[in-house]
Amino acid sequence: MKPTLQTVADAVGVSRSTVSNAYGRPDQLSPELRERILTAARELGYAGPNPTARSLRRGRAGAIGVLFTDVLSYAFRDPFAVRFLQGLSLAAERHQTGLLLIPVPDDPEAARAAVRNAAVDGFCVFCVAEGHPARQAIFERGLPVVGTELLAGDPEMLAAGIDEAAATRAAGMHLTALGHRRVAIVADMLHPAISPLGTVVREPSDVSYLGESERLRGYQQAWRKAGLDWDEVTIVNVRGNSREAGVEGAAQVLDRRDRPTALVAFSDVIALGTMDALRARGLRAGRDVSVIGFDDIPQAAEAGLTTVRQPATEKGRIAGELLLDPPATAEGRRVALPTELIVRASTGPAPDGRN
Amino acid sequence: MKPTLQTVADAVGVSRSTVSNAYGRPDQLSPELRERILTAARELGYAGPNPTARSLRRGRAGAIGVLFTDVLSYAFRDPFAVRFLQGLSLAAERHQTGLLLIPVPDDPEAARAAVRNAAVDGFCVFCVAEGHPARQAIFERGLPVVGTELLAGDPEMLAAGIDEAAATRAAGMHLTALGHRRVAIVADMLHPAISPLGTVVREPSDVSYLGESERLRGYQQAWRKAGLDWDEVTIVNVRGNSREAGVEGAAQVLDRRDRPTALVAFSDVIALGTMDALRARGLRAGRDVSVIGFDDIPQAAEAGLTTVRQPATEKGRIAGELLLDPPATAEGRRVALPTELIVRASTGPAPDGRN
DNA sequence: GTTGCCTTCTAAATCGATACAGTAGGCGCG
DNA sequence: CGCGCCTACTGTATCGATTTAGAAGGCAAC
């Protein structure tokens, strides 16, 4: 049998409460007795209060739930996601809390069950499509939920986010100001969760991730304002947020006769991939084709990639803080973080004439 | 007040046990009653049995602990680590279990407390240095522990690992068979946990990660056997497992007059970085300088990198299975996975004469 | 000497579920 | 009819801790 508080209490000849206090409230007993208790505990192989029992009594699970979907595990290849997670963990650490990655089965019912069975104090909705079966289960738990989308529908939802549309609007205007009129978008996350590959999504409202939807809208707004025809904008829908996906996505537009003079991506990782594709064709980023990314990961600076900077770690940290220490006032429940268009060498004036 | 089993039981007019059975053992009550109960629960806003209470009663936390150190968060940039984690999550999913990432504070006492407070059924020791304060705390919990090092000292420890030394021995012999005699090692993880940067570690026994220690030993064995002087082997100790670290590490040896004809790295990520460094200097991998990596991540194939293949996802999956369903026999408790030297274009005959 | 306060410890209630033994009622069968 | 057996449910102990109210003893002050 594993020793419990009672085992130790009996061994020392004190009450269970006193042993509990020895661990959790050292000021409640004399230092000598505490020392005796801790020594006895060590001898008995008692490793300290059972975290599960403590959680039950305290009413605090000591963990934040994060759904570990395929999407998320791929997302880990993106430094942005990793930094977000680091931020989350910073907040968690401050609150002596863990991050529970919940593997989500493909079967919808099993997915819901996984969410219901998670011993957590709240959920961080990160990389979970709008229509995902687990998503509803999350809200049904009645626990605090934090997302990264300021415009999320649920009024209960906490959020640490950016004005996605404003961010890409600025990026889009930067391009039109440089004279670009033939533009393409390369993006992951555009497809509805359960649609066949290759589905073409053009309208922001059809995008199943709110953030991506807004990014699309931002470009739409900027370019419409500049007089471009949205239907003329090429949208390449790649699967997966990776450099390779960027290479492949760019390949679909760069070899066309009327190749765009500018490419925008919804992540730096993809943008860097499109730059690889340019290089492979002897095209110069910022001269022959301008490229804009999103996130401003460290590699973006090295590659001279123009991009939208958002504070990754801070986003995670604030999301965590919101979850673990929810503000009383409704205003405080949605935190808007700043973004900034970082102009580097990958954007330049549109080349003259036909190619 | 949040509704509990009792709330629902009272509302329906049945006993608590019956409501519990409605969720956990549908065969124990009539379908009609079950439906009535679930409906009532929904109306009362009862989200299902409290996972913490269930955990306590069942004696199963429903989570595997993984220490989330800085090292691990950097490791996420390596596809190998991500795939390992995916494997772990596969096993976890099968056992309806989560992965609890435990943020580890810098303060040693706080780090130990974090481990003691984690509600988990076992730990996976991944990317935790031998001397790390949290490491001992893990074993003190008396829970199952799985590692990735077959030779780990603790006899209690479960392991899913490879014969690291044999793997690098094969790689080392491949190089000497090709005539290489001026070789260098570029590796992260060599430094003792709490040593100043730049400390030079040459002996396997001084390496604080067992796996890396064995990899070093493998090269040492291969090259000594081939008559090379170990002291002549350049060892570059980089900080961090990243492509950039590889670039920087390679820079330290490639610009020397007696530049090595072969570079070996302890991860593909670093090896790919060294190949970047070669390219930047107009050197051809496999012709001017041979390069060997470790892991065989997908990018290695694309880059034509010779490397040691190890089954990443499988390693994680088996680690998880060992933890969640420990074999009765001692033999089954350490699973050896196969490795294979994958020879690609990045290795070739040593160039003749001086450079 | 009594009152009151402080320190140090104890007893009992409680957190929210699950498991197991037990009971009541219905049904088949010789 | 009486026995056994099955189905459907209940009651109670239990998981391992924390918390709160309270008791015992010591000491100072009036």
Side-chain angles (χ1 to χ4, degrees):
Chain A
M1 252 323 270
K2 280 225 147 191
T4 72
L5 271 192
Q6 189 66 251
T7 320
V8 179
D10 293 346
V12 182
V14 295
S15 78
R16 182 163 70 245
S17 327
T18 303
V19 181
S20 174
N21 285 333
Y23 285 95
R25 310 185 159 187
D27 57 315
Q28 294 292 303
L29 71 174
S30 63
E32 304 80 51
L33 179 56
R34 182 172 127 94
E35 211 39 64
R36 268 209 301 146
I37 291 175
L38 296 183
T39 308
R42 220 169 299 128
E43 283 165 4
L44 290 165
Y46 179 70
N50 178 317
T52 305
R54 163 178 290 181
S55 285
L56 175 58
R57 184 62 243 246
R58 293 218 176 134
R60 204 182 141 271
I64 293 177
V66 180
L67 297 197
F68 193 55
T69 56
D70 278 355
V71 177
L72 182 58
S73 71
Y74 291 126
F76 279 157
R77 310 229 172 121
D78 187 340
F80 172 76
V82 174
R83 287 209 290 152
F84 178 83
L85 214 68
Q86 278 179 286
L88 207 55
S89 116
L90 238 47
E93 178 183 328
R94 217 174 68 81
H95 292 267
Q96 302 189 67
T97 293
L99 262 37
L100 186 68
L101 299 185
I102 307 164
V104 183
D106 288 331
D107 173 57
E109 189 42 50
R112 281 188 284 267
V115 169
R116 280 194 295 261
N117 290 332
V120 297
D121 298 312
F123 287 93
C124 174
V125 180
F126 187 57
C127 292
V128 184
E130 286 295 314
H132 195 289
R135 200 179 170 106
Q136 201 194 343
I138 285 179
F139 286 98
E140 284 169 0
R141 284 288 297 270
L143 295 172
V145 181
V146 72
T148 55
E149 295 144 351
L150 291 179
L151 301 179
D154 195 306
E156 277 304 294
M157 196 159 173
L158 302 158
I162 57 178
D163 187 336
E164 313 264 1
T168 50
R169 206 155 52 222
M173 286 164 60
H174 168 61
L175 284 181
T176 50
L178 287 167
H180 293 273
R181 305 196 59 83
R182 228 166 37 247
V183 293
I185 298 176
V186 180
D188 176 30
M189 306 288 205
L190 288 183
H191 49 80
I194 318 164
S195 78
L197 237 172
T199 310
V200 180
V201 175
R202 299 197 62 82
E203 289 308 313
S205 54
D206 293 338
V207 175
S208 52
Y209 290 84
L210 218 53
E212 275 65 21
S213 163
E214 285 298 302
R215 288 184 198 175
L216 193 58
R217 191 187 309 282
Y219 279 122
Q220 193 182 47
Q221 290 169 342
W223 291 338
R224 278 199 174 141
K225 196 163 179 180
L228 303 200
D229 183 353
W230 184 243
D231 289 333
E232 301 278 301
V233 174
T234 309
I235 299 184
V236 180
N237 195 342
V238 298
R239 182 77 109 188
N241 180 34
S242 67
R243 201 150 170 158
E244 295 74 39
V247 174
E248 287 165 30
Q252 293 183 38
V253 294
L254 290 180
D255 300 328
R256 295 199 318 213
R257 260 196 331 155
D258 61 337
R259 146 188 108 220
T261 65
L263 287 178
V264 303
F266 282 8
S267 75
D268 283 351
V269 173
I270 289 183
L272 291 171
T274 68
M275 287 176 79
D276 291 342
L278 288 182
R279 210 171 303 119
R281 287 165 178 73
L283 296 169
R284 294 157 302 172
R287 308 289 298 269
D288 303 309
V289 179
S290 286
V291 178
I292 298 187
F294 205 103
D295 293 340
D296 195 28
I297 63 178
Q299 291 89 323
E302 291 166 27
L305 174 66
T306 295
T307 191
V308 174
R309 172 179 297 169
Q310 63 168 327
T313 313
E314 196 58 8
K315 201 172 182 179
R317 198 185 62 75
I318 291 184
E321 290 293 347
L322 284 173
L323 208 49
L324 294 168
D325 191 9
T329 66
E331 303 85 62
R333 300 170 65 85
R334 304 228 170 170
V335 177
L337 296 163
T339 62
E340 187 186 353
L341 181 68
I342 308 291
V343 178
R344 298 202 182 95
S346 76
T347 46
D352 300 326
R354 311 210 88 79
N355 292 336
Chain B
M1 254 322 272
K2 280 224 149 192
T4 72
L5 271 192
Q6 190 69 66
T7 320
V8 179
D10 293 347
V12 182
V14 295
S15 79
R16 183 164 71 245
S17 324
T18 302
V19 181
S20 174
N21 286 334
Y23 285 95
R25 310 186 159 186
D27 57 314
Q28 294 293 303
L29 71 174
S30 64
E32 305 80 52
L33 179 56
R34 183 172 126 94
E35 212 37 67
R36 267 210 298 146
I37 290 175
L38 296 183
T39 308
R42 218 168 302 126
E43 282 166 5
L44 289 165
Y46 179 70
N50 178 318
T52 304
R54 163 178 289 180
S55 284
L56 175 59
R57 183 63 244 243
R58 291 217 177 136
R60 206 182 139 270
I64 293 177
V66 179
L67 297 197
F68 193 55
T69 57
D70 278 355
V71 177
L72 182 59
S73 70
Y74 291 127
F76 279 157
R77 309 230 172 119
D78 186 339
F80 171 77
V82 174
R83 286 208 292 152
F84 177 85
L85 213 69
Q86 278 180 284
L88 205 56
S89 114
L90 238 47
E93 177 182 330
R94 217 176 67 80
H95 292 267
Q96 303 189 68
T97 294
L99 262 35
L100 185 68
L101 298 185
I102 307 165
V104 182
D106 288 330
D107 173 57
E109 188 42 51
R112 279 188 285 266
V115 169
R116 280 194 296 261
N117 290 334
V120 296
D121 299 313
F123 288 93
C124 174
V125 179
F126 186 58
C127 292
V128 184
E130 285 296 314
H132 196 290
R135 202 178 168 107
Q136 201 195 342
I138 285 178
F139 286 98
E140 284 169 359
R141 283 288 297 271
L143 295 172
V145 181
V146 72
T148 55
E149 295 144 352
L150 290 179
L151 301 178
D154 196 306
E156 276 305 293
M157 198 158 172
L158 303 158
I162 57 177
D163 187 335
E164 313 265 1
T168 50
R169 209 157 47 224
M173 286 163 61
H174 169 60
L175 284 180
T176 51
L178 287 167
H180 293 274
R181 304 197 57 85
R182 232 174 24 250
V183 293
I185 298 175
V186 181
D188 176 30
M189 305 288 205
L190 288 183
H191 50 81
I194 319 165
S195 77
L197 237 170
T199 309
V200 180
V201 175
R202 299 196 63 82
E203 290 308 313
S205 54
D206 293 338
V207 175
S208 50
Y209 290 84
L210 218 51
E212 275 64 21
S213 164
E214 284 298 303
R215 289 185 196 174
L216 193 59
R217 190 186 309 282
Y219 278 122
Q220 192 182 47
Q221 290 169 341
W223 292 339
R224 279 200 174 143
K225 197 164 180 179
L228 303 199
D229 181 354
W230 183 245
D231 289 334
E232 300 278 301
V233 174
T234 307
I235 299 183
V236 179
N237 194 344
V238 299
R239 182 78 108 188
N241 180 35
S242 66
R243 200 149 173 156
E244 294 74 38
V247 174
E248 288 165 29
Q252 292 182 39
V253 294
L254 290 179
D255 299 330
R256 293 199 320 213
R257 261 196 330 155
D258 61 338
R259 145 189 108 218
T261 64
L263 287 177
V264 302
F266 281 10
S267 75
D268 283 352
V269 173
I270 289 183
L272 291 171
T274 67
M275 287 177 80
D276 291 342
L278 288 183
R279 209 172 302 119
R281 287 166 178 73
L283 296 169
R284 295 157 303 171
R287 308 290 297 267
D288 303 311
V289 179
S290 287
V291 178
I292 299 187
F294 206 105
D295 293 338
D296 195 29
I297 62 178
Q299 290 88 325
E302 292 166 26
L305 173 66
T306 295
T307 190
V308 174
R309 173 180 297 169
Q310 63 168 327
T313 313
E314 197 57 8
K315 201 172 183 179
R317 198 186 60 75
I318 291 185
E321 290 292 349
L322 285 173
L323 208 49
L324 294 168
D325 191 9
T329 67
E331 302 85 64
R333 300 170 66 84
R334 302 226 173 174
V335 177
L337 297 162
T339 63
E340 187 186 353
L341 181 67
I342 308 291
V343 177
R344 298 201 182 95
S346 76
T347 46
D352 300 327
R354 311 213 87 78
N355 292 336

